[in-house]
Amino acid sequence: MQARAQPGVGTRSATRNGAPDKRQFAWIWRAVWLACLLPLLLLVADALRDALGANPIEFITRATGDWTLRMLLLTLAVTPLRHLTGWHWLVRLRRTLGLYAFFYGCLHLTTYLWLDQFFDAGSIIKDIIKRPFITTGFAAFTLMLPLAATSTNGMIRRLGGRLWQRLHRLVYAVGVLGVAHYWWLVKKDITEPLIYATILAALFALRIWHARRMHRTLHAQTA
Amino acid sequence: MLIKHPADVAPSDITPRAVFDARRDFMRSSAIGIGAALLGAGLPDKAHAVAARGKTLGPLVKSPYSTDEKLNDFDDITSYCNFYEFGTDKSDPARHAHRMATRPWTVSIEGLVHKPKTLDIDDILKVAPLEERIYRLRCVEAWSMVVPWVGIPMSALLRQVEPLGGAKYVEFVTHLDPKEMPGTRRQVLDWPYVEGLRLDEAMHPLTIAALGLYGEVMPNQNGAPIRLIVPWKYGFKSAKSIVRIRFTDKEPLSSWTKSNGREYGFYSNVNPEVDHPRWSQERERRIGEFIKRKTLKFNGYGDQVASLYTGMDLKKHF
């Protein structure tokens, strides 16, 4: 985490534009990191006190899937939120959020492969081929792999900012596939997948709106 | 008729509810104790709905159709239910079904019959001796349970009205009251819930009008006060909280078929050879077990019911 030095500004007080200083950011980052871990801790606590209901495997699958989607949407919310608030330091939380989405995605996939299917390769392959919601879920996870693998500062340097940024646009596809995965799983009541889809669409709309605005401003300046 | 599983389970072998509950409570409080010690806090138990104790039904006749498999415990059966009238989450029925008044309750039996009747639930309880029927229940979502139902043969109830010769099908309609049933305030399905059987399926000795479980009056979330149980079909065929039974000459259009005919057919017999687009039907998770078990054709009741479908292409008539 590289915090930009702000010369002439006290270390304890907030810097210009309301951006936190190095020390404050460290605390914010820790709080976010812990908050993202909390759903897992609560799930483990529920498991320990036998409170996962009649079908614990289904419960764990649902919970880890829900949190993968939520983390993914939070990751995708960082840039629009920056544009709306002008809090550009938020971008420094994005990697943590994105990696947590990947982390919950790993737990979700592991639950399916291990607890649900018990590594029955034949049945898993059939599922991936035949069931659209599993196909999309699997595709979403696969696309997260290169993103997680290139999430380090070293990889950003090696790839170069431009290429890295292009590669990481895959996260949009992951978002769409993730929501489709949930939508197609649901038997009848699509309320919840609809909520995720609406948020995703709103986030995309905000990005497009911002890009257009920037474009116009740029034109106005160059004209 | 060949009966594969004779009743080799003595009444005394069935664990009474009280013992089951005590055992479960002990295990749960131990688990809570360990969890609390680890967390340093006792958290409220949210996943288990507390089911009110029902009135005991009895005496019960044992049935040769009962399985001797290990029963699912009362808590699981009453906390994990699909009853969309109360909400689409499996925990919703246990939370909301107490609002449904099950007395007074009448069932109107009508259509192509000699003597249409409206029967009071308390009279239905006396139509035939109450039997305990321990059946496997297989949900289309690839999970299953073993449930000790209490009920009477559906045929005993249907004979009350003397069906006409032209009657080929029977339609079952579920209670509908948006005040009592929060799930029906949204058009998730086309309410009221409708299910249907062929007449010979409805009259089959395995088919029962269930009035209770675990020797007690049916809990509301499981379809009180009277529901259909057809153990060789996916669970959704077994309509709950029935208020109307109608004999017809046309195949009834069930709610699920109406909402998605590609996925839910009229017959919906448990069949590992016919895949559902969302779930493989080859295997199922018995609630309480870790490794999935193989799903049996007709849910293991093939010896009794396969002959109903002789000559039919069950892939086409899924």
Side-chain angles (χ1 to χ4, degrees), chain A residues 45-46 48-51 54-55 57-58 115-118 123 126 130-131 133 184 186-189 191, chain B residues 39 44-48 80 84 88 141 186 188 264 275-280 282-283 285 287 290:
Chain A
D46 274 350
L48 282 173
R49 66 202 180 91
D50 184 25
N55 195 345
I57 296 173
E58 183 191 61
L115 301 182
D116 190 61
Q117 298 291 326
F118 207 69
S123 159
K126 241 194 268 176
K130 285 176 78 173
R131 282 165 241 298
F133 85 93
W184 282 334
V186 169
K187 210 160 64 163
K188 194 64 206 167
D189 184 1
T191 314
Chain B
L39 285 170
D45 193 357
K46 66 162 190 267
H48 285 281
Y80 192 75
Y84 277 20
T88 51
E141 297 164 354
R186 293 189 303 131
V188 177
Y264 309 98
D275 256 354
H276 184 280
R278 282 160 221 267
W279 305 281
S280 160
E282 283 168 28
R283 293 179 305 150
R285 171 161 293 113
I287 296 302
F290 177 57

Side-chain angles (χ1 to χ4, degrees), chain A residues 10 79 85 120 136 139 159 176 182 193 206:
Chain A
T79 299
T85 60
D120 180 340
T136 46
L159 285 172
V176 172
Y182 190 15
L206 279 171

Side-chain angles (χ1 to χ4, degrees), chain B residues 133-149:
Chain B
R133 297 276 186 116
I134 305 171
Y135 282 163
R136 292 176 286 277
L137 173 90
R138 169 63 156 80
C139 179
V140 72
E141 297 164 354
W143 55 267
S144 64
M145 292 194 188
V146 176
V147 184
W149 301 108

Side-chain angles (χ1 to χ4, degrees), chain B residues 84-239:
Chain B
Y84 277 20
E85 281 85 340
F86 294 105
T88 51
D89 196 280
K90 285 185 188 59
S91 59
D92 285 336
R95 262 202 296 272
H96 302 300
H98 64 89
R99 295 187 214 169
M100 178 171 65
T102 57
R103 290 293 188 284
W105 190 282
T106 56
V107 180
S108 156
I109 314 181
E110 56 195 50
L112 301 173
V113 299
H114 278 292
K115 296 185 195 162
K117 274 183 185 172
T118 299
L119 293 170
D120 192 90
I121 187 66
D122 293 310
D123 295 326
I124 292 174
L125 279 154
K126 292 174 210 140
V127 160
L130 292 177
E131 296 180 33
E132 179 177 67
R133 297 276 186 116
I134 305 171
Y135 282 163
R136 292 176 286 277
L137 173 90
R138 169 63 156 80
C139 179
V140 72
E141 297 164 354
W143 55 267
S144 64
M145 292 194 188
V146 176
V147 184
W149 301 108
V150 175
I152 56 171
M154 183 56 85
S155 59
L157 183 61
L158 299 183
R159 282 204 188 95
Q160 301 289 308
V161 295
E162 300 174 23
L164 290 167
K168 296 279 181 280
Y169 298 92
V170 189
E171 182 183 88
F172 299 86
V173 182
T174 296
H175 176 58
L176 171 62
D177 183 346
K179 286 199 293 295
E180 296 177 342
M181 301 169 141
T184 61
R185 291 171 210 160
R186 293 189 303 131
Q187 280 301 111
V188 177
L189 289 170
D190 190 7
W191 314 112
Y193 193 89
V194 173
E195 258 310 336
L197 296 174
R198 236 167 44 192
L199 186 60
D200 56 346
E201 295 175 327
M203 299 294 281
H204 192 277
L206 276 175
T207 307
I208 58 168
L211 303 154
L213 60 83
Y214 262 107
E216 295 173 8
V217 165
M218 187 73 76
N220 280 11
Q221 61 266 41
N222 296 87
I226 177 170
R227 69 172 295 179
L228 172 65
I229 290 293
V230 202
W232 70 93
K233 292 177 181 284
Y234 294 118
F236 68 89
K237 289 296 288 182
S238 294

